[in-house]
CSV table of all heavy atoms in Angstrom, one decimal:
chain,number,residue,atom,x,y,z
A,1262,ARG,N,-10.6,1.8,15.5
A,1262,ARG,CA,-11.3,3.0,16.0
A,1262,ARG,C,-11.8,3.8,14.8
A,1262,ARG,O,-11.3,3.7,13.7
A,1262,ARG,CB,-10.4,3.9,16.9
A,1262,ARG,CG,-10.1,3.2,18.2
A,1262,ARG,CD,-9.4,4.2,19.1
A,1262,ARG,NE,-8.0,4.4,18.6
A,1262,ARG,CZ,-7.2,5.4,19.0
A,1262,ARG,NH1,-7.7,6.3,19.8
A,1262,ARG,NH2,-5.9,5.4,18.5
A,1263,VAL,N,-13.0,4.3,15.0
A,1263,VAL,CA,-13.6,5.2,13.9
A,1263,VAL,C,-13.7,6.6,14.4
A,1263,VAL,O,-14.1,6.9,15.5
A,1263,VAL,CB,-15.0,4.6,13.6
A,1263,VAL,CG1,-15.7,5.5,12.6
A,1263,VAL,CG2,-14.9,3.2,13.0
A,1264,GLU,N,-13.4,7.5,13.4
A,1264,GLU,CA,-13.5,9.0,13.7
A,1264,GLU,C,-14.3,9.6,12.6
A,1264,GLU,O,-14.0,9.5,11.4
A,1264,GLU,CB,-12.1,9.5,13.8
A,1264,GLU,CG,-12.1,11.0,14.0
A,1264,GLU,CD,-10.6,11.6,14.2
A,1264,GLU,OE1,-9.8,10.9,15.0
A,1264,GLU,OE2,-10.3,12.5,13.5
A,1265,LEU,N,-15.4,10.3,13.0
A,1265,LEU,CA,-16.2,11.0,12.0
A,1265,LEU,C,-15.7,12.4,11.8
A,1265,LEU,O,-15.5,13.2,12.8
A,1265,LEU,CB,-17.7,11.0,12.4
A,1265,LEU,CG,-18.4,9.6,12.5
A,1265,LEU,CD1,-19.8,9.9,12.9
A,1265,LEU,CD2,-18.4,9.0,11.1
A,1266,VAL,N,-15.5,12.8,10.6
A,1266,VAL,CA,-15.1,14.2,10.2
A,1266,VAL,C,-16.3,14.8,9.5
A,1266,VAL,O,-16.5,14.6,8.3
A,1266,VAL,CB,-13.8,14.2,9.3
A,1266,VAL,CG1,-13.4,15.6,9.0
A,1266,VAL,CG2,-12.7,13.4,10.0
A,1267,THR,N,-17.0,15.7,10.2
A,1267,THR,CA,-18.3,16.3,9.7
A,1267,THR,C,-18.0,17.7,9.2
A,1267,THR,O,-17.6,18.5,10.0
A,1267,THR,CB,-19.3,16.3,10.8
A,1267,THR,OG1,-19.5,15.0,11.3
A,1267,THR,CG2,-20.6,16.8,10.2
A,1268,THR,N,-18.3,17.9,7.9
A,1268,THR,CA,-18.0,19.2,7.3
A,1268,THR,C,-18.8,19.4,6.0
A,1268,THR,O,-19.0,18.3,5.3
A,1268,THR,CB,-16.5,19.5,7.1
A,1268,THR,OG1,-16.4,20.8,6.5
A,1268,THR,CG2,-15.9,18.5,6.3
A,1269,THR,N,-19.1,20.6,5.6
A,1269,THR,CA,-19.8,20.8,4.3
A,1269,THR,C,-18.7,20.9,3.3
A,1269,THR,O,-19.0,20.9,2.1
A,1269,THR,CB,-20.6,22.0,4.3
A,1269,THR,OG1,-19.8,23.2,4.7
A,1269,THR,CG2,-21.8,21.9,5.3
A,1270,ASP,N,-17.4,21.1,3.7
A,1270,ASP,CA,-16.3,21.2,2.7
A,1270,ASP,C,-15.8,19.8,2.3
A,1270,ASP,O,-16.0,18.8,3.1
A,1270,ASP,CB,-15.1,22.0,3.3
A,1270,ASP,CG,-15.5,23.4,3.6
A,1270,ASP,OD1,-16.3,24.0,2.9
A,1270,ASP,OD2,-15.1,23.9,4.7
A,1271,ARG,N,-15.2,19.7,1.2
A,1271,ARG,CA,-14.6,18.5,0.8
A,1271,ARG,C,-13.3,18.2,1.5
A,1271,ARG,O,-12.3,19.0,1.3
A,1271,ARG,CB,-14.4,18.4,-0.7
A,1271,ARG,CG,-13.7,17.1,-1.2
A,1271,ARG,CD,-13.8,17.1,-2.8
A,1271,ARG,NE,-15.2,16.9,-3.2
A,1271,ARG,CZ,-15.5,16.7,-4.5
A,1271,ARG,NH1,-14.6,16.5,-5.4
A,1271,ARG,NH2,-16.8,16.5,-4.8
A,1272,VAL,N,-13.2,17.2,2.3
A,1272,VAL,CA,-12.0,16.7,3.0
A,1272,VAL,C,-11.0,16.1,2.0
A,1272,VAL,O,-11.4,15.3,1.2
A,1272,VAL,CB,-12.3,15.9,4.2
A,1272,VAL,CG1,-11.0,15.4,4.9
A,1272,VAL,CG2,-13.1,16.7,5.2
A,1273,ASP,N,-9.8,16.5,2.1
A,1273,ASP,CA,-8.7,15.9,1.2
A,1273,ASP,C,-8.3,14.5,1.6
A,1273,ASP,O,-7.4,14.3,2.4
A,1273,ASP,CB,-7.5,16.9,1.2
A,1273,ASP,CG,-6.6,16.6,0.1
A,1273,ASP,OD1,-6.8,15.5,-0.6
A,1273,ASP,OD2,-5.7,17.5,-0.2
A,1274,ILE,N,-8.9,13.5,1.0
A,1274,ILE,CA,-8.5,12.1,1.2
A,1274,ILE,C,-7.1,11.9,0.7
A,1274,ILE,O,-6.4,11.1,1.2
A,1274,ILE,CB,-9.6,11.2,0.5
A,1274,ILE,CG1,-11.0,11.4,1.2
A,1274,ILE,CG2,-9.1,9.7,0.6
A,1274,ILE,CD1,-12.1,10.6,0.5
A,1275,GLY,N,-6.7,12.5,-0.3
A,1275,GLY,CA,-5.4,12.4,-0.9
A,1275,GLY,C,-4.3,12.7,0.0
A,1275,GLY,O,-3.2,12.1,0.0
A,1276,ARG,N,-4.6,13.6,1.0
A,1276,ARG,CA,-3.6,14.0,1.9
A,1276,ARG,C,-3.9,13.2,3.3
A,1276,ARG,O,-3.3,13.6,4.3
A,1276,ARG,CB,-3.5,15.5,2.2
A,1276,ARG,CG,-3.1,16.3,1.0
A,1276,ARG,CD,-2.8,17.8,1.4
A,1276,ARG,NE,-1.8,17.8,2.5
A,1276,ARG,CZ,-0.5,17.7,2.3
A,1276,ARG,NH1,-0.1,17.5,1.0
A,1276,ARG,NH2,0.3,17.7,3.3
A,1277,ARG,N,-4.8,12.3,3.2
A,1277,ARG,CA,-5.0,11.4,4.4
A,1277,ARG,C,-5.7,12.2,5.5
A,1277,ARG,O,-5.7,11.8,6.7
A,1277,ARG,CB,-3.8,10.8,4.9
A,1277,ARG,CG,-3.0,9.9,3.9
A,1277,ARG,CD,-3.8,8.9,3.3
A,1277,ARG,NE,-3.0,7.7,2.8
A,1277,ARG,CZ,-2.5,7.7,1.6
A,1277,ARG,NH1,-2.6,8.8,0.8
A,1277,ARG,NH2,-1.8,6.7,1.2
A,1278,ALA,N,-6.5,13.3,5.2
A,1278,ALA,CA,-7.3,13.9,6.2
A,1278,ALA,C,-8.5,13.1,6.6
A,1278,ALA,O,-9.1,13.3,7.6
A,1278,ALA,CB,-7.8,15.3,5.7
A,1279,ALA,N,-8.8,12.2,5.7
A,1279,ALA,CA,-9.8,11.2,6.0
A,1279,ALA,C,-9.5,9.9,5.1
A,1279,ALA,O,-8.8,9.9,4.1
A,1279,ALA,CB,-11.2,11.6,5.6
A,1280,ASP,N,-10.0,8.7,5.6
A,1280,ASP,CA,-9.7,7.5,4.9
A,1280,ASP,C,-10.9,7.2,3.9
A,1280,ASP,O,-10.7,6.5,2.9
A,1280,ASP,CB,-9.6,6.3,5.9
A,1280,ASP,CG,-8.4,6.5,6.8
A,1280,ASP,OD1,-7.2,6.5,6.3
A,1280,ASP,OD2,-8.6,6.7,8.0
A,1281,ILE,N,-12.1,7.6,4.4
A,1281,ILE,CA,-13.3,7.3,3.6
A,1281,ILE,C,-14.1,8.6,3.5
A,1281,ILE,O,-14.2,9.3,4.5
A,1281,ILE,CB,-14.2,6.2,4.2
A,1281,ILE,CG1,-13.3,4.9,4.3
A,1281,ILE,CG2,-15.4,6.0,3.4
A,1281,ILE,CD1,-14.0,3.8,5.2
A,1282,GLY,N,-14.6,8.9,2.3
A,1282,GLY,CA,-15.4,10.0,2.1
A,1282,GLY,C,-16.8,9.6,1.5
A,1282,GLY,O,-16.8,8.8,0.6
A,1283,ILE,N,-17.9,10.1,2.1
A,1283,ILE,CA,-19.2,9.8,1.5
A,1283,ILE,C,-19.6,11.1,0.8
A,1283,ILE,O,-19.9,12.2,1.4
A,1283,ILE,CB,-20.2,9.5,2.7
A,1283,ILE,CG1,-19.7,8.4,3.5
A,1283,ILE,CG2,-21.6,9.2,2.1
A,1283,ILE,CD1,-20.6,8.1,4.8
A,1284,ARG,N,-19.6,11.0,-0.5
A,1284,ARG,CA,-19.7,12.2,-1.4
A,1284,ARG,C,-20.9,12.1,-2.4
A,1284,ARG,O,-21.4,11.0,-2.6
A,1284,ARG,CB,-18.4,12.4,-2.2
A,1284,ARG,CG,-17.2,12.7,-1.3
A,1284,ARG,CD,-16.0,12.9,-2.2
A,1284,ARG,NE,-14.8,13.4,-1.3
A,1284,ARG,CZ,-13.6,13.6,-1.8
A,1284,ARG,NH1,-13.4,13.4,-3.2
A,1284,ARG,NH2,-12.6,14.0,-1.0
A,1285,SER,N,-21.2,13.3,-2.9
A,1285,SER,CA,-22.3,13.3,-3.8
A,1285,SER,C,-21.9,13.3,-5.3
A,1285,SER,O,-22.7,13.3,-6.2
A,1285,SER,CB,-23.2,14.6,-3.6
A,1285,SER,OG,-22.4,15.8,-3.8
A,1286,GLU,N,-20.6,13.2,-5.6
A,1286,GLU,CA,-20.1,13.1,-6.9
A,1286,GLU,C,-19.0,12.0,-7.0
A,1286,GLU,O,-18.3,11.6,-6.0
A,1286,GLU,CB,-19.4,14.4,-7.3
A,1286,GLU,CG,-20.4,15.6,-7.3
A,1286,GLU,CD,-19.7,16.9,-7.6
A,1286,GLU,OE1,-18.4,16.9,-7.6
A,1286,GLU,OE2,-20.4,17.9,-7.9
A,1287,ARG,N,-18.9,11.5,-8.2
A,1287,ARG,CA,-17.9,10.5,-8.5
A,1287,ARG,C,-16.6,11.1,-8.4
A,1287,ARG,O,-16.4,12.2,-8.9
A,1287,ARG,CB,-18.1,9.9,-9.9
A,1287,ARG,CG,-17.2,8.8,-10.3
A,1287,ARG,CD,-17.5,8.2,-11.6
A,1287,ARG,NE,-16.7,7.1,-11.9
A,1287,ARG,CZ,-16.9,6.2,-12.9
A,1287,ARG,NH1,-18.0,6.4,-13.6
A,1287,ARG,NH2,-16.1,5.2,-13.1
A,1288,PRO,N,-15.6,10.5,-7.8
A,1288,PRO,CA,-14.2,11.1,-7.7
A,1288,PRO,C,-13.5,11.2,-9.0
A,1288,PRO,O,-13.7,10.2,-9.8
A,1288,PRO,CB,-13.5,10.2,-6.7
A,1288,PRO,CG,-14.2,8.9,-6.9
A,1288,PRO,CD,-15.6,9.2,-7.1
A,1289,THR,N,-12.9,12.3,-9.4
A,1289,THR,CA,-12.2,12.4,-10.6
A,1289,THR,C,-10.7,12.4,-10.4
A,1289,THR,O,-10.0,12.2,-11.4
A,1289,THR,CB,-12.6,13.8,-11.3
A,1289,THR,OG1,-12.3,14.8,-10.3
A,1289,THR,CG2,-14.0,13.8,-11.6
A,1290,GLU,N,-10.2,12.5,-9.2
A,1290,GLU,CA,-8.8,12.4,-9.0
A,1290,GLU,C,-8.2,11.1,-9.2
A,1290,GLU,O,-8.9,10.1,-8.8
A,1290,GLU,CB,-8.4,12.9,-7.5
A,1290,GLU,CG,-8.9,14.4,-7.2
A,1290,GLU,CD,-10.3,14.4,-6.7
A,1290,GLU,OE1,-11.1,13.5,-7.0
A,1290,GLU,OE2,-10.6,15.4,-6.0
A,1291,GLN,N,-7.1,11.0,-9.8
A,1291,GLN,CA,-6.5,9.6,-10.2
A,1291,GLN,C,-6.1,8.8,-9.0
A,1291,GLN,O,-6.0,7.6,-9.1
A,1291,GLN,CB,-5.3,9.8,-11.2
A,1291,GLN,CG,-4.1,10.6,-10.6
A,1291,GLN,CD,-3.1,10.7,-11.6
A,1291,GLN,OE1,-3.2,10.4,-12.8
A,1291,GLN,NE2,-2.0,11.3,-11.1
A,1292,TRP,N,-5.9,9.5,-7.9
A,1292,TRP,CA,-5.4,8.8,-6.7
A,1292,TRP,C,-6.6,8.3,-5.8
A,1292,TRP,O,-6.4,7.7,-4.8
A,1292,TRP,CB,-4.5,9.6,-5.9
A,1292,TRP,CG,-5.0,11.0,-5.5
A,1292,TRP,CD1,-5.8,11.3,-4.4
A,1292,TRP,CD2,-4.8,12.1,-6.2
A,1292,TRP,NE1,-6.1,12.6,-4.5
A,1292,TRP,CE2,-5.5,13.2,-5.6
A,1292,TRP,CE3,-4.1,12.5,-7.4
A,1292,TRP,CZ2,-5.5,14.5,-6.1
A,1292,TRP,CZ3,-4.1,13.8,-7.9
A,1292,TRP,CH2,-4.8,14.7,-7.2
A,1293,LEU,N,-7.8,8.5,-6.2
A,1293,LEU,CA,-9.0,8.2,-5.4
A,1293,LEU,C,-9.8,7.1,-6.2
A,1293,LEU,O,-9.8,7.0,-7.4
A,1293,LEU,CB,-9.9,9.3,-5.2
A,1293,LEU,CG,-9.4,10.5,-4.4
A,1293,LEU,CD1,-10.4,11.6,-4.3
A,1293,LEU,CD2,-8.8,10.1,-3.1
A,1294,ALA,N,-10.4,6.2,-5.4
A,1294,ALA,CA,-11.3,5.1,-5.9
A,1294,ALA,C,-12.6,5.3,-5.3
A,1294,ALA,O,-12.8,5.8,-4.1
A,1294,ALA,CB,-10.7,3.8,-5.5
A,1295,GLY,N,-13.6,5.0,-6.1
A,1295,GLY,CA,-15.0,5.2,-5.5
A,1295,GLY,C,-16.0,4.1,-6.0
A,1295,GLY,O,-15.7,3.5,-7.1
A,1296,ARG,N,-17.0,3.9,-5.3
A,1296,ARG,CA,-18.1,3.0,-5.7
A,1296,ARG,C,-19.4,3.7,-5.3
A,1296,ARG,O,-19.6,4.2,-4.2
A,1296,ARG,CB,-18.0,1.7,-5.1
A,1296,ARG,CG,-17.7,1.7,-3.6
A,1296,ARG,CD,-17.6,0.3,-3.0
A,1296,ARG,NE,-16.9,0.2,-1.8
A,1296,ARG,CZ,-16.9,-0.9,-1.0
A,1296,ARG,NH1,-17.5,-1.9,-1.3
A,1296,ARG,NH2,-16.1,-0.8,0.1
A,1297,GLN,N,-20.4,3.7,-6.3
A,1297,GLN,CA,-21.6,4.3,-6.0
A,1297,GLN,C,-22.5,3.4,-5.1
A,1297,GLN,O,-22.6,2.2,-5.3
A,1297,GLN,CB,-22.4,4.5,-7.3
A,1297,GLN,CG,-23.7,5.3,-7.2
A,1297,GLN,CD,-24.3,5.7,-8.5
A,1297,GLN,OE1,-23.7,5.4,-9.6
A,1297,GLN,NE2,-25.4,6.4,-8.5
A,1298,SER,N,-23.1,4.1,-4.1
A,1298,SER,CA,-23.8,3.3,-3.1
A,1298,SER,C,-25.4,3.6,-3.2
A,1298,SER,O,-26.2,3.0,-2.5
A,1298,SER,CB,-23.5,3.6,-1.7
A,1298,SER,OG,-23.5,5.1,-1.4
A,1299,GLY,N,-25.7,4.6,-4.2
A,1299,GLY,CA,-27.1,4.8,-4.4
A,1299,GLY,C,-27.4,6.2,-4.8
A,1299,GLY,O,-26.4,6.9,-5.3
A,1300,LYS,N,-28.5,6.8,-4.5
A,1300,LYS,CA,-28.9,8.2,-4.8
A,1300,LYS,C,-29.5,8.8,-3.6
A,1300,LYS,O,-30.0,8.1,-2.7
A,1300,LYS,CB,-29.8,8.2,-6.1
A,1300,LYS,CG,-29.1,7.8,-7.4
A,1300,LYS,CD,-30.0,7.9,-8.6
A,1300,LYS,CE,-29.3,7.5,-9.9
A,1300,LYS,NZ,-28.3,8.5,-10.2
A,1301,VAL,N,-29.6,10.2,-3.7
A,1301,VAL,CA,-30.2,10.9,-2.6
A,1301,VAL,C,-31.2,11.9,-3.2
A,1301,VAL,O,-30.8,12.7,-4.0
A,1301,VAL,CB,-29.1,11.7,-1.7
A,1301,VAL,CG1,-29.8,12.4,-0.6
A,1301,VAL,CG2,-28.1,10.7,-1.1
A,1302,ALA,N,-32.4,11.9,-2.7
A,1302,ALA,CA,-33.4,12.8,-3.2
A,1302,ALA,C,-33.7,13.9,-2.2
A,1302,ALA,O,-33.4,13.7,-1.0
A,1302,ALA,CB,-34.7,12.0,-3.4
A,1303,HIS,N,-34.2,15.1,-2.6
A,1303,HIS,CA,-34.5,16.2,-1.8
A,1303,HIS,C,-36.0,16.6,-2.1
A,1303,HIS,O,-36.5,16.5,-3.2
A,1303,HIS,CB,-33.6,17.3,-2.0
A,1303,HIS,CG,-32.1,17.1,-1.6
A,1303,HIS,ND1,-31.3,16.2,-2.3
A,1303,HIS,CD2,-31.4,17.6,-0.6
A,1303,HIS,CE1,-30.1,16.2,-1.7
A,1303,HIS,NE2,-30.1,17.1,-0.7
A,1304,ALA,N,-36.6,17.2,-1.0
A,1304,ALA,CA,-38.0,17.6,-1.2
A,1304,ALA,C,-38.2,18.8,-0.3
A,1304,ALA,O,-37.4,19.1,0.6
A,1304,ALA,CB,-39.0,16.5,-1.0
A,1305,ILE,N,-39.4,19.4,-0.4
A,1305,ILE,CA,-39.8,20.5,0.5
A,1305,ILE,C,-40.6,19.9,1.6
A,1305,ILE,O,-41.5,19.1,1.5
A,1305,ILE,CB,-40.6,21.6,-0.3
A,1305,ILE,CG1,-39.8,22.3,-1.4
A,1305,ILE,CG2,-41.2,22.6,0.7
A,1305,ILE,CD1,-40.6,23.2,-2.2
A,1306,TYR,N,-40.3,20.4,2.8
A,1306,TYR,CA,-40.9,19.9,4.1
A,1306,TYR,C,-41.4,21.1,4.9
A,1306,TYR,O,-40.9,22.2,4.8
A,1306,TYR,CB,-39.9,19.1,4.9
A,1306,TYR,CG,-39.6,17.8,4.4
A,1306,TYR,CD1,-38.6,17.7,3.4
A,1306,TYR,CD2,-40.3,16.6,4.7
A,1306,TYR,CE1,-38.2,16.5,2.8
A,1306,TYR,CE2,-39.9,15.4,4.1
A,1306,TYR,CZ,-38.9,15.3,3.1
A,1306,TYR,OH,-38.6,14.1,2.6
A,1307,SER,N,-42.4,20.8,5.7
A,1307,SER,CA,-42.9,21.8,6.6
A,1307,SER,C,-43.1,21.1,8.0
A,1307,SER,O,-43.0,19.9,8.1
A,1307,SER,CB,-44.3,22.4,6.2
A,1307,SER,OG,-45.3,21.5,6.5
A,1308,GLY,N,-43.4,22.0,9.0
A,1308,GLY,CA,-43.7,21.4,10.3
A,1308,GLY,C,-45.2,20.8,10.3
A,1308,GLY,O,-45.9,21.1,9.3
């Protein structure tokens, strides 16, 4: 089963609040592993 945890805060994977995190920064904690999946760009939009 899959459960999505949606939040602007960083969920603590180390405490098993989530199994997988999709983040904008490389993890620095020694108990976390990460792999880069790409980049995300931002721009100005209007209606």
Side-chain angles (χ1 to χ4, degrees):
R1262 290 185 286 164
V1263 172
E1264 181 177 308
L1265 293 181
V1266 182
T1267 304
T1268 177
T1269 56
D1270 298 323
R1271 177 170 293 187
V1272 174
D1273 193 346
I1274 296 176
R1276 295 194 57 81
R1277 304 304 203 275
D1280 299 294
I1281 300 170
I1283 306 175
R1284 296 182 175 177
S1285 59
E1286 296 177 347
R1287 181 175 187 166
T1289 56
E1290 299 89 338
Q1291 62 181 5
W1292 53 86
L1293 298 182
R1296 48 181 157 166
Q1297 188 174 356
S1298 59
K1300 293 182 178 292
V1301 180
H1303 293 69
I1305 296 176
Y1306 291 83
S1307 79

